[in-house]
Amino acid sequence: MRVSRPGRAIMACASLLAACFMWASPASAHSSLVRSSPAEGAVLPTAPRSITLEFNEKVSKIAPAIVLRNDAEAVISSRPPTVGRTTISSTVPTGLPDGSYSIVWRVVSDDGHPIQGVIRFVIGHASDPVDANEVDAPENSTSRSWTWLPVAAAVLAALIGAALVLRRYNTNHTP
Ligand SMILES: [Cu+2]
């Protein structure tokens, strides 16, 4: 059967989307952050000595990252973290002044998918609260991938519909 060029393009698009869809669907299998020290939103009287993140399952040793930034977005520390079975941790430089800080972390799940997030905390008084809008960093990618899933499904359905209509059109109208 002959399929027109736009028909073929649409079908290629649809199968590409289907691949994305299938890739995204096991999102629930990703590792997720269980707890951290410092905890999100913590107000600490003194600077922490280390940062530890604990996940619900084994994490990969591939390219873990813990980056500590101050409220001016300057990188305070980006030492390569130590990787345990379900944890990553890194030491914190001494002599940190009071203020708001953010920890941007990234780790590869045991299933091979990278996950990342941001943890905000304050050293000193709570009078300088961390503004959630201040840090323009990615949220936990697990929740994000779920939000576009229905959209992808709808687009995929529309494309498959279009491809079917085009195919029927071509079948009926091919001389
Ligand atoms: Cu995964």
Side-chain angles (χ1 to χ4, degrees):
M1 188 198 70
R2 213 180 67 105
V3 180
S4 70
R5 187 179 283 196
R8 217 177 298 161
I10 287 176
M11 287 207 281
C13 244
S15 50
L16 194 72
L17 256 164
C20 287
F21 184 75
M22 287 190 292
W23 178 80
S25 48
S28 55
H30 292 179
S31 303
S32 58
L33 184 67
V34 176
R35 64 178 69 86
S36 68
S37 170
E40 164 68 26
V43 179
L44 310 172
T46 56
R49 292 192 170 176
S50 62
I51 295 166
T52 302
L53 309 179
E54 188 184 335
F55 298 88
N56 67 332
E57 59 176 30
K58 190 171 172 287
V59 292
S60 164
K61 287 185 163 53
I62 301 165
I66 293 179
V67 177
L68 179 63
R69 291 174 188 268
N70 65 13
D71 53 7
E73 294 284 300
V75 173
I76 303 300
S77 163
S78 58
R79 294 173 185 172
T82 307
V83 182
R85 216 187 90 80
T86 60
T87 60
I88 60 170
S89 58
S90 93
T91 54
V92 169
T94 53
L96 288 186
D98 287 2
S100 307
Y101 292 86
S102 62
I103 301 162
V104 181
W105 60 266
R106 182 184 184 280
V107 81
V108 176
S109 299
D110 201 27
D111 69 358
H113 293 157
I115 54 171
Q116 57 191 354
V118 183
I119 296 160
R120 287 161 281 247
F121 69 97
V122 173
I123 301 173
H125 304 292
S127 58
D128 182 21
V130 185
D131 185 354
N133 300 321
E134 209 171 89
V135 183
D136 186 24
E139 289 180 3
N140 196 320
S141 56
T142 306
S143 54
R144 179 180 287 185
S145 62
W146 279 113
T147 53
W148 66 263
L149 234 118
V151 179
V155 171
L156 181 62
L159 278 172
I160 289 175
L164 287 176
V165 167
L166 250 174
R167 185 196 282 198
R168 188 173 304 165
Y169 177 88
N170 282 319
T171 313
N172 295 341
H173 296 261
T174 304

